[in-house]
Amino acid sequence: MNAINQAISNIGVVPVIKLNHPQRDAAPLAQALCAGGVPVAEVTFRAAGAAEAIAIMTKTCPDMLVGAGTVLSTAQVDEALAAGAKFIVTPGLDVDIVKYCQAKGVAVFPGCTTPTDYHAAYKLGLEVLKFFPAEQSGGLAKIKAMSAPFPMFKVMPTGGISLKNLKEYLSASVICACGGSYMVTADLIDNQKWDEITELCKQSVDIVKQVRGNG
Ligand code: 3PG
């Protein structure tokens, strides 16, 4: 596994963030995540100001792995990288975006859920895939079934993951890390519930440790 993949795998969970007020919320959010032992974030381009949020989070917590999510074009890849993004996540597998990131030496995690997606990802030489939307696409049962013909991949499921099913997902060896918005919901962010976010991160880290035998 390359360094970024390994670092994400070691943390075990990836908060998927949509920030409507980056100027107000990006810095305290980065601090809240790091305080909870989760120094990683996928900041989605679903909200205007995602690049600004990435820049603020990176400046606030320089050791944090801040990446960009919901990236739909190579122009957005450029925007994210200029802001300091260390990895790129796309909802589906876009060959042009993957090749663009690979040419730049940037880690990219395309959303894949079908054998056709996995085939294309194999051809592209990827190691870790986003499995999105996880629960809605068949959940862990489907992820395990996909591992039979494609044992070379680790996956990062997102979509429908919470503290309720995190342990089950992480227990499967095919899982690199789990993504989700459950620790950074719109309610938590809009109401600036930073302590609660830190607490949810700590609970997630406890589950990671339990499953991986360090707790
Ligand atoms: C994503 O973009 O990865 C998902 O929307 C996150 O899904 P969740 O909100 O169900 O965690």
Side-chain angles (χ1 to χ4, degrees), residues 14-17 42 44 46 69-70 89 91 130-136 156-162 179-185:
V14 179
V16 177
I17 294 162
E42 176 189 327
T44 68
R46 283 172 218 186
T70 320
V89 184
K130 169 163 170 149
F131 189 91
F132 171 78
E135 280 290 287
Q136 299 86 341
M156 257 197 286
T158 72
I161 296 187
S162 68
S181 63
Y182 68 88
M183 74 292 258
V184 285
T185 60

Side-chain angles (χ1 to χ4, degrees), residues 3-159:
I4 294 269
N5 295 352
Q6 192 60 57
I8 291 175
S9 171
N10 290 346
I11 299 167
V13 285
V14 179
V16 177
I17 294 162
K18 180 171 174 238
L19 270 188
N20 295 316
H21 307 288
Q23 290 272 0
R24 186 192 72 175
D25 296 334
L29 176 59
Q31 284 160 342
L33 296 172
C34 290
V38 179
V40 61
E42 176 189 327
V43 180
T44 68
F45 270 71
R46 283 172 218 186
E52 189 183 12
I54 291 168
I56 294 171
M57 292 175 84
T58 302
K59 198 169 161 215
T60 307
C61 299
D63 293 334
M64 190 173 182
L65 265 181
V66 183
T70 320
V71 171
L72 299 176
S73 65
T74 54
Q76 282 182 338
V77 173
D78 287 340
E79 214 187 316
L81 296 181
K86 302 207 175 65
F87 61 91
I88 301 292
V89 184
T90 61
L93 190 144
D94 181 311
V95 173
D96 292 341
I97 295 180
V98 171
K99 286 188 174 168
Y100 190 74
C101 291
Q102 288 175 326
K104 288 180 176 284
V106 180
V108 57
F109 306 106
C112 295
T113 54
T114 67
T116 307
D117 295 338
Y118 277 51
H119 253 296
Y122 178 66
K123 228 175 171 177
L124 289 162
L126 293 164
E127 284 186 315
V128 179
L129 312 175
K130 169 163 170 149
F131 189 91
F132 171 78
E135 280 290 287
Q136 299 86 341
S137 303
L140 192 54
K142 179 150 186 201
I143 291 171
K144 286 181 176 171
M146 295 289 287
S147 278
F150 297 103
M152 65 293 286
F153 294 118
K154 296 275 183 204
V155 303
M156 257 197 286
T158 72

